Amino acid sequence: MTRPSSRPRDRGIPEATVARLPVYLRALHGLTDRGVPTVSSEELAAAAGVNSAKLRKDLSHLGSYGTRGVGYDVEYLIYQISRELGLTQDWAVAIVGAGNLGRALANYGGFVSRGFRIAALLDVQESLVGAEVAGLRVEHSDQLEAVVRQRRVSIGVIATSAAGAQTVCDRFVSAGVTSILNFAPVVLNVPEGVDVRKVDLSIELQILAFHEQRKAAGALGPDWNVSVEPPPAPPERVGGRIPVDAVDAAEEEGR
Amino acid sequence: MTRPSSRPRDRGIPEATVARLPVYLRALHGLTDRGVPTVSSEELAAAAGVNSAKLRKDLSHLGSYGTRGVGYDVEYLIYQISRELGLTQDWAVAIVGAGNLGRALANYGGFVSRGFRIAALLDVQESLVGAEVAGLRVEHSDQLEAVVRQRRVSIGVIATSAAGAQTVCDRFVSAGVTSILNFAPVVLNVPEGVDVRKVDLSIELQILAFHEQRKAAGALGPDWNVSVEPPPAPPERVGGRIPVDAVDAAEEEGR
DNA sequence: GATTGTGAAGAATTTCACAGCC
DNA sequence: GGCTGTGAAATTCTTCACAATC
């Protein structure tokens, strides 16, 4: 089903582009703060840490908002990107977990700034309930469904331990939340149509470790990391194996 | 230059694969905890939230560690992935910024567990120096270089405000750190050879908002979000533009 | 003269589908 | 019979390079 081109842009923006738009937006805000009215793709690309051809291709997916020979009007581009990202409306966010991480998130200024509003901060732990964090009172997790419905929460943030995360996720989903940002180190199971994004500290560290190791490896010969320890349990093939079927117990899923 | 295949695996593992290995590793740890000795690509893929062909292709880059008709030995695969990621040695990590986020990171259990050790927690703010967090004493940021050298820090974590991040980064780099994990909402400038990974809350939220908006858009007609507000300053093309050269201007400043 | 917007080439990644092995 | 490992196809993403436009 292709539209007859009444509209200059194709609404299907590549995922990779979507992931960079927020970066451009931040760079553009930096430019307005400095009073810069216009910027070339080269300059903006440098500020955003990408290559300029990529920037231009990305922006071209939104429409033709630049001027050849001149560049992009900073304010105008900010508006267009914001609109594309849906930041011209504001989104109510609920954070579950009021530990250090949840509090850090609640206090994070940039969080609230453009388009997002923290509607609730919840925790199971009684001793935290009632505490004030970033101008909000911590509420009990029991209130999750009520809060989501009454305050029109559309994005749920999970800042609990790994153990509690799936339960919180299920409750968000059944209360109607379809966008979840997960900080707990688990893979969440969600039905079709729900978006989950994951932020995982230890994964990032492990990726860095991999590259760091490679750099070190260059200095030594190849094969430098072969059997630094006794090759542990060679694939000993013996007993019958236990199927992993009782995994979720919940009925979910097939392929 | 292709090696004569003395070694089963090519050392050039695709970046996309590297980013998934930690996820597999976590799923595998979950399986050992439940006493599962062997797992098929289908099962492991489900636990990791990816498709099984992708999983097999990823693992094939490390070598041939499965058994046809059977699957993968969980322990053995854990070892192989850990080794590939460089987790058989341990990495000293220094965290700069002892605010809520820095404290959350220091307390994060999974952080310390496999392969990583927090060697220092630093902050500029005098009132925080000396406080105890997760069994560590907060030290003054002045000590950064000394700490990096004395404690062989190889991964630096930046959990400061946006304003301070580049300075901290520069200091890490000049002290010899070549892997940096950045939580501050800025694009860091680093010389060639230094790896930076970025974790950015507001970017993740914006990506979610984009998709959330799309879901809502489906319910309404197309063009639903066109001019929800007066189309702001149409690209008015007037004054000469100011070049973006005075960019760094020495002083910090953020938003 | 400068800079955008974009076809086309190239690279990387994902997925398919099946030969090969246990 | 079941499951891995992998060529080949399909898809997505990046980069090049230049015509179109201001």
Side-chain angles (χ1 to χ4, degrees):
Chain A
M1 209 197 291
T2 6
R3 285 156 132 279
S5 91
S6 64
R7 191 66 106 64
R9 65 178 175 284
D10 179 4
R11 301 320 297 296
I13 298 180
E15 210 29 56
T17 294
V18 172
R20 282 185 297 262
L21 290 178
V23 180
Y24 302 154
L25 196 50
R26 177 175 294 150
L28 286 164
H29 279 129
L31 294 174
T32 17
D33 289 353
R34 300 219 314 283
V36 178
T38 299
V39 69
S40 70
S41 63
E42 201 69 57
E43 293 161 335
L44 183 53
V50 303
N51 137 332
S52 70
K54 183 163 18 185
L55 172 74
R56 288 198 301 280
K57 179 76 81 180
D58 282 342
L59 295 183
S60 78
H61 288 114
L62 314 192
S64 223
Y65 298 137
T67 308
R68 291 166 202 240
V70 179
Y72 300 89
D73 181 274
V74 173
E75 285 297 344
Y76 189 58
L77 194 51
I78 286 177
Y79 171 77
Q80 293 298 347
I81 294 178
S82 297
R83 182 163 62 76
E84 199 62 48
L85 288 174
L87 305 179
T88 49
Q89 59 195 285
D90 72 39
W91 301 96
V93 174
I95 301 174
V96 180
N100 272 309
L101 180 56
R103 289 200 296 272
L105 296 176
N107 279 307
Y108 177 46
F111 210 135
V112 189
S113 67
R114 302 256 159 207
F116 302 97
R117 181 172 45 81
I118 301 178
L121 179 55
L122 310 165
D123 203 293
V124 258
Q125 205 176 325
E126 300 288 356
S127 63
L128 286 171
V129 174
E132 190 179 314
V133 176
L136 280 158
R137 291 221 335 184
V138 177
E139 297 167 84
H140 195 279
S141 302
D142 288 349
Q143 302 301 305
L144 192 149
E145 288 81 0
V147 158
V148 165
R149 296 204 174 96
Q150 284 160 20
R151 302 177 202 169
R152 305 261 188 288
V153 169
S154 43
I155 299 179
V157 175
I158 300 178
T160 65
S161 68
Q166 183 65 58
T167 305
V168 171
C169 175
D170 293 343
R171 291 178 61 189
F172 266 137
V173 170
S174 70
V177 171
T178 56
S179 293
I180 292 174
L181 180 51
N182 178 32
F183 286 86
V186 283
V187 175
L188 294 177
N189 255 297
V190 293
E192 181 103 4
V194 176
D195 280 319
V196 176
R197 294 195 63 90
K198 172 186 63 174
V199 171
D200 194 314
L201 321 179
S202 76
I203 287 179
E204 298 301 325
L205 280 180
Q206 289 174 41
I207 295 171
L208 285 173
F210 172 83
H211 292 295
E212 190 66 24
Q213 183 191 38
R214 284 297 170 95
K215 291 173 205 161
L220 310 166
D223 297 348
W224 67 280
N225 74 341
V226 175
S227 64
V228 287
E229 275 182 29
E236 51 150 297
R237 192 73 56 242
V238 258
R241 68 190 179 75
I242 299 167
V244 195
D245 295 330
V247 172
D248 278 273
E251 50 277 84
E252 290 314 347
E253 263 291 37
R255 153 160 307 290
Chain B
M1 206 194 294
T2 5
R3 283 155 133 283
S5 90
S6 63
R7 188 67 104 64
R9 66 179 176 285
D10 178 4
R11 303 319 299 295
I13 296 180
E15 210 27 57
T17 295
V18 172
R20 281 185 299 262
L21 291 178
V23 180
Y24 303 153
L25 196 50
R26 177 174 296 150
L28 286 165
H29 278 129
L31 293 175
T32 17
D33 290 352
R34 299 219 313 283
V36 178
T38 301
V39 69
S40 72
S41 64
E42 201 69 56
E43 293 160 337
L44 183 53
V50 303
N51 138 333
S52 70
K54 183 162 21 185
L55 172 73
R56 288 199 300 281
K57 180 76 89 182
D58 283 343
L59 294 183
S60 78
H61 288 115
L62 313 192
S64 225
Y65 298 136
T67 308
R68 291 165 202 239
V70 178
Y72 300 90
D73 180 274
V74 174
E75 285 298 343
Y76 188 59
L77 194 51
I78 286 177
Y79 172 77
Q80 292 299 347
I81 295 178
S82 297
R83 183 163 59 77
E84 198 62 49
L85 287 173
L87 305 179
T88 49
Q89 59 195 285
D90 74 38
W91 301 96
V93 174
I95 301 174
V96 180
N100 272 308
L101 180 57
R103 289 198 297 270
L105 297 176
N107 280 306
Y108 177 45
F111 209 137
V112 188
S113 65
R114 302 253 159 210
F116 302 96
R117 182 171 44 80
I118 301 178
L121 178 56
L122 310 165
D123 203 294
V124 257
Q125 205 175 323
E126 300 288 356
S127 63
L128 287 172
V129 174
E132 191 180 312
V133 175
L136 280 158
R137 291 224 333 187
V138 177
E139 296 168 84
H140 195 278
S141 302
D142 287 350
Q143 302 301 305
L144 192 149
E145 288 80 1
V147 159
V148 166
R149 295 204 174 97
Q150 285 160 20
R151 302 178 202 168
R152 304 264 189 287
V153 168
S154 45
I155 299 179
V157 175
I158 300 178
T160 65
S161 68
Q166 183 65 57
T167 305
V168 172
C169 174
D170 293 343
R171 291 177 62 189
F172 267 136
V173 170
S174 71
V177 171
T178 57
S179 293
I180 291 173
L181 179 51
N182 178 33
F183 286 86
V186 283
V187 176
L188 294 178
N189 255 297
V190 294
E192 181 103 3
V194 176
D195 280 319
V196 176
R197 294 194 64 90
K198 172 185 62 172
V199 171
D200 192 315
L201 321 179
S202 76
I203 287 180
E204 298 301 325
L205 280 180
Q206 289 173 41
I207 295 170
L208 284 174
F210 172 83
H211 292 295
E212 190 66 24
Q213 183 191 38
R214 282 299 169 96
K215 291 174 205 159
L220 311 167
D223 297 349
W224 68 280
N225 76 342
V226 176
S227 64
V228 288
E229 276 184 26
E236 52 149 297
R237 193 71 58 241
V238 259
R241 70 192 178 72
I242 299 167
V244 195
D245 296 328
V247 173
D248 281 278
E251 265 82 47
E252 46 262 45
E253 209 268 306
R255 66 164 29 273

